[in-house]
Structures are given as C-alpha cells and as structure tokens.
Amino acid sequence: MALWRGSACAGFLALAVGCVFLLEPELPSSALRSLWSSLRLGPAPGPAGPLSPEGRLAAAWDALIVQPARRWRRVAVGVNACVDVVISGVKLLQALGLSPGSGRDHAVLHSRSDLEEAFVYFMGKGAAAERFFSDKEAFYAIAQTASEFPGAQHYVGGNAALIGQRFATNTDLKVLLCGPIGPKLHELLDDNVFVPPESLQEVDEFHLILEYLAGEEWGPFKAPHANRFIFSHDLSNGAMNMLEVFVSSLEEFQPDLVVLSGLHMMEGQSKELQRKRLLEVVTSISDIPTGIPIHLELASMTNRELMSSIVHQQVFPAVTSLGLNEQELLFLSQSASGPHASLSSWDGVPDVGMVSDILFWLLKEHGRSKSRSSDLTRIHFHTLVYHILATVDGHWANQLAAVAAGARVAGTQACATETIDASRVSLRAPQEFMTSHSESGSRIVLNPNKPVVEWHREGITFHFTPVLVCKDPIRTVGLGDAISAEGLFYSEAHPD
C-alpha cells in the first residue's frame, strides 16, 4: 500500500509540474528543471515553442537565408493587374440565393449555376482554381453584391501587381509595374511602385476571390484545406492589352530582372486571338535585351491547347525562370505529354518524387542544354506543404536561401505575422519521401534542424524545403506570387 501511495504521489506531482510548464512558460527554465530533478522523475521535458519541430525549422531557415552576392536593383513586372474583392465564398453564394448541388468543374463559367457547381467542386478538394465568367452583365451584378457585402475587402490583385507589391517591400529596390491600373488599384499600390502613365485607365478590373476555411462545410461539401476560388470577366488582362506598353517601358527603365505573368487570362479569348497574341508575346519577349533574366509566373488554366502552345511555341525557351503550383504543374504535364500525365489529379499532398520527375522533364526537354538554345534554367514549384527549386547547373546561385525564403514568407503572410510564430503553424510535409519514381531515386528523411534538402540528377540540382502551414490563415490570396517574388529576390543569376 505504501508503495502504491508513493507512486500515486509521484504521479500527481509529475502532473502538477507539467501544469506549471504549460501555465507558466515564462518561469526560469533552470527553476523548473531543478523542481523536476528534485522529484527524481527523470529528464526534464524541453519547453514548447522554440524547441518544437516548427520552432527548430524556423530557426534553421533564419540561419540559411542570406543575401545573394549580386542583388537586383531594378525589377520590371507586368502585365496583369486588378482589384481583388475578397469575401467568404459560402456567404456570397448564399446571398445570391444559391444552394449547394452537385459539384462539377466548368472550364468557363456562363451562369450563377456554373459558379455554384465549380465553387463546391474545388471547395470539396481544398484546391485553388481560377475561371473566366463569360456573361458581362451577370458578372457585374455579382461583383456589385460582393463589393457591398459586409466584410468584403479590397486588395491589390493580379499576379504582376502582387509580385510588384511584394518586391516593393524592399525599399532599396526600384519596381516598375505595367498593367490595366484603375484609380482604386493605383490607390492601393505601394508608393515604391512606379506606374507608367500609359498603364493608367479610368475603370478598374475586378476579380472576385471566394475564400473558404479548412473544415468549412456547405451542404455535403467540407473543405480539407483553406483555399480560394477566383473568377472574373476581365477583358483588358485577357487580351494582355498592356504587353506592348510594358516592353516599350523597359528601354527607359533598364531593369536587371523582368517578371511576366497573365498568359492564363487569355483563356477567355477565341482560339484565333490566343494564337495571334501568343506569337506577339514571343516577339515582345525577344525584344527584351539579351542577358536580362525573364521570370514567367503561371496560374490556374483549363485550356490544354493554350497550355501546350505556351510550352511549345517558343514561350518556355524564351524565359529564364518559371513559377507554378501543383495544379499548374500537373496540367502542364498532361497538356504536353510529360511524366505522370495519366494522373487525373493529385491525391492529397503531391508526391515529391512525381513532382521531381516532372520538373526534371521540363528542364531536360525544354530547358537550356548544349544542343538547345533555350534560356529556361530555373523552376520554382510551390504547394501547400513544401517547395522545390530546380535549376540547371551553372546558371544560378543562392538557391538554398531562395527556397527557404519562399517557404518562410508563405508562413508569415498566411498568418499575417512579421516572423514565423511556431505556435500558429504546423509542419505537414511528408516525413520521408523518394526523390524520383521514374528512376531509382534516393529516400529522404526530413530533419527540421536541416530543413533544406539538396539532390542532383543529370546536371540539374533540386532544393526541397517543407512549409510551415498557418493553422488559422488570415488570407490565402497572393501567396504563390509572394513566394515566387521572395524566391527571386534571394536568387542570383550568373551572367552568360
């Protein structure tokens, strides 16, 4: 009985000390360890937070993220820009009198019914998507309801404007932005962003961003992840009206980095116009002086013919760098008959080995080599729980810091914090993975103390890092653009 009482007392004391750890984390750790040791209960547990896997990973990133030896001074960004109206997707659709039916994807939205079906289809998958709404009058009626809805927020939108806005947070960097910029967008832009007068227009282009939270339910649909569904009736960006203004502005601005986006907006155009505009894009890119790196930021697409044309009609060979997410990467492989193209969609977290295979194929088939005059030497892939930077050897430096910086900004921007708050993020990346499935890849085991993993394959280097996912994200829109901008900011291109 005495032995039982002693064990029980020790158990209760251990429980009490555990409560002290949780309720008084600010007490000196030496005092807590001394109390624990005096009870002879074994080694004292470490404090939560900094020594958690998330805390250790964030600290390791901070040590790895260093400035490149040669930094960008002037960055030109174009050509899609708009005002994002951000609102709860479920609340807006309810306000429109819609109810959840059967989820179904639509390449183009023609009605409110199409909108409802496409929204719940992607909400049920927790996947981001972007669609064109063909009916002008119906769209503007929805846009007015959204803009006036309680809690609706207006932000800088469009990949180019968002990337420009992110670059502008670095005050020693001069940023040029070209796109259809109306009065509301001009007001929202950072003072450090220069807009050519030719880019200004009287009316803004609006994009509606329907957000949903992880676990949010509507009818039979439940979102596994927080994400958003974007739609618009955007003809200025769709026709890439500011492309020529953008290219003509470069001679005076003299950038040392060019960022191009907005090709996905052409999906709302006719096939004939798409072909014509794509050829003009290639011609315009060829007018940019040799030696200036060009980064192309991709976005959600459904038109395989347009994507195939972007890959094959000299667009990829004309750019130096690509930025894309898991939806765009798989769609690109499907459109151009790449690896794992038979996969209809990712089953949960995109398999690292499969992603690596597609990135390798892109750089081997469409990137620079001794037998090919392509400029493409870098791809920045980002998904919710990890990022990969793949580069052709000999053309880029500081990519370890670049991939870590891109992942870090995903955690800070989603949580709206200046630095990573380890208590508000979680490490959800696969704990181990294969680096390839099309050849005998290596097995990698994740170590939070060494969060950037590097491997090589036939002259191509891969840098992998997990993402610390915000548990309660404040805003998901623009994360991909912030990630690409931050990765580029820390990248160093070797001169040819």
Side-chain angles (χ1 to χ4, degrees):
M1 182 66 73
L3 178 63
W4 182 88
R5 286 198 191 99
S7 299
C9 289
F12 285 123
L13 286 170
L15 179 62
V17 174
C19 290
V20 172
F21 271 101
L22 290 172
L23 298 176
E24 296 293 340
E26 298 303 319
L27 280 178
S29 58
S30 58
L32 291 170
R33 283 195 297 270
S34 176
L35 174 60
W36 188 272
S37 297
S38 69
L39 297 171
R40 298 180 181 178
L41 298 175
L51 295 185
S52 67
E54 290 81 3
R56 286 183 284 132
L57 195 150
W61 275 344
D62 290 341
L64 292 173
I65 298 171
V66 296
Q67 296 283 349
R70 294 173 63 251
R71 298 171 62 181
W72 314 112
R73 298 170 296 105
R74 306 170 77 86
V75 179
V77 188
V79 290
N80 63 324
C82 64
V83 174
D84 279 345
V85 182
V86 182
I87 187 171
S88 161
V90 171
K91 289 180 180 178
L92 175 62
L93 295 185
Q94 288 174 334
L96 294 171
L98 297 168
S99 57
S102 58
R104 179 186 170 197
D105 189 14
H106 293 273
V108 176
L109 308 179
H110 299 291
S111 65
R112 293 187 179 197
S113 176
D114 287 356
L115 169 62
E116 174 270 318
E117 289 182 344
F119 174 78
V120 296
Y121 175 82
F122 286 101
M123 176 183 172
K125 293 178 176 291
E130 186 167 349
R131 296 293 181 264
F132 180 78
F133 199 106
S134 64
D135 188 323
K136 179 180 178 181
E137 287 72 24
F139 173 78
Y140 281 110
I142 296 170
Q144 184 173 357
T145 300
S147 293
E148 297 171 356
F149 196 84
Q153 297 172 298
H154 294 77
Y155 293 101
V156 170
N159 307 89
L162 285 163
I163 290 172
Q165 193 83 329
R166 182 65 203 179
F167 274 125
T169 61
N170 304 285
T171 54
D172 57 344
L173 194 62
K174 290 182 170 58
V175 181
L176 170 80
L177 173 64
C178 283
I181 297 171
K184 180 64 176 178
L185 178 56
H186 203 200
E187 172 192 321
L188 292 170
L189 286 171
D190 191 288
D191 291 340
N192 198 31
V193 175
F194 170 69
V195 179
E198 298 85 354
S199 277
L200 299 175
Q201 59 183 40
E202 294 181 1
V203 180
D204 284 285
E205 297 287 354
F206 288 95
H207 288 207
L208 303 189
I209 318 295
L210 309 191
E211 293 196 322
Y212 49 85
L213 302 174
E216 185 171 0
E217 298 182 40
W218 194 35
F221 299 94
K222 183 176 181 179
H225 311 293
N227 225 314
R228 74 278 181 191
F229 181 85
I230 306 174
F231 69 106
S232 68
H233 179 84
D234 185 341
L235 297 179
S236 295
N237 285 304
M240 298 188 73
N241 285 342
M242 292 298 168
L243 179 64
E244 286 75 18
V245 170
F246 180 47
V247 175
S248 65
S249 301
L250 299 182
E251 184 176 355
E252 181 179 350
F253 185 69
Q254 294 191 329
D256 44 22
L257 173 65
V258 170
V259 180
L260 177 67
S261 65
L263 296 184
H264 64 289
M265 296 299 300
M266 291 194 291
E267 284 198 317
Q269 307 297 319
S270 66
K271 287 185 179 181
E272 182 180 348
L273 185 56
Q274 287 175 2
R275 281 194 295 268
K276 177 175 179 289
R277 204 68 180 117
L278 213 50
L279 288 172
E280 291 168 347
V281 168
V282 174
T283 302
S284 297
I285 292 175
S286 66
D287 289 338
I288 297 173
T290 304
I292 299 176
I294 303 169
H295 174 84
L296 174 63
E297 189 70 12
L298 295 178
S300 178
M301 295 177 66
T302 60
N303 187 322
R304 291 196 179 190
E305 188 175 338
L306 176 59
M307 178 61 91
S308 179
S309 297
I310 291 170
V311 175
H312 294 297
Q313 288 187 8
Q314 301 305 307
V315 177
F316 272 22
V319 301
T320 321
S321 172
L322 287 178
L324 41 64
N325 69 15
E326 74 277 12
Q327 304 293 335
E328 295 137 22
L329 183 73
L330 182 57
F331 185 69
L332 194 161
S333 190
Q334 292 167 341
S335 303
S337 302
H340 311 297
S342 60
L343 193 68
S344 60
S345 63
W346 298 112
D347 183 14
V349 174
D351 183 275
V352 177
M354 290 183 175
V355 168
S356 173
D357 288 339
I358 301 174
L359 295 176
F360 176 78
W361 163 77
L362 275 170
L363 288 175
K364 274 296 179 184
E365 291 295 318
H366 303 284
R368 181 176 298 186
S369 67
K370 292 180 180 178
S371 60
R372 193 183 302 111
S373 60
S374 171
D375 289 332
L376 181 61
T377 51
R378 176 184 184 272
I379 304 175
H380 190 167
F381 168 82
H382 49 85
T383 188
L384 181 68
V385 300
Y386 68 85
H387 296 171
I388 297 177
L389 253 171
T391 52
V392 178
D393 292 350
H395 299 283
W396 293 88
N398 213 43
Q399 295 305 278
L400 186 152
V403 74
R408 183 176 66 178
V409 81
T412 57
Q413 182 159 313
C415 284
T417 55
E418 290 294 321
T419 58
I420 292 288
D421 182 342
S423 68
R424 293 184 58 192
V425 295
S426 61
L427 178 59
R428 302 184 195 170
Q431 295 302 297
E432 58 180 82
F433 57 85
M434 295 298 295
T435 60
S436 174
H437 289 294
S438 60
E439 67 168 28
S440 55
S442 303
R443 180 170 292 280
I444 302 293
V445 178
L446 196 61
N447 179 357
N449 296 322
K450 297 179 180 179
V452 179
V453 180
E454 180 179 331
W455 67 89
H456 304 270
R457 185 174 172 185
E458 297 181 30
I460 293 170
T461 297
F462 296 83
H463 288 93
F464 167 99
T465 194
V467 172
L468 293 175
V469 182
C470 188
K471 297 175 185 175
D472 185 20
I474 304 301
R475 184 166 178 251
T476 61
V477 175
L479 277 183
D481 302 305
I483 289 163
S484 287
E486 198 76 353
L488 283 167
F489 180 77
Y490 282 92
S491 290
E492 179 181 349
H494 292 315
D496 292 329

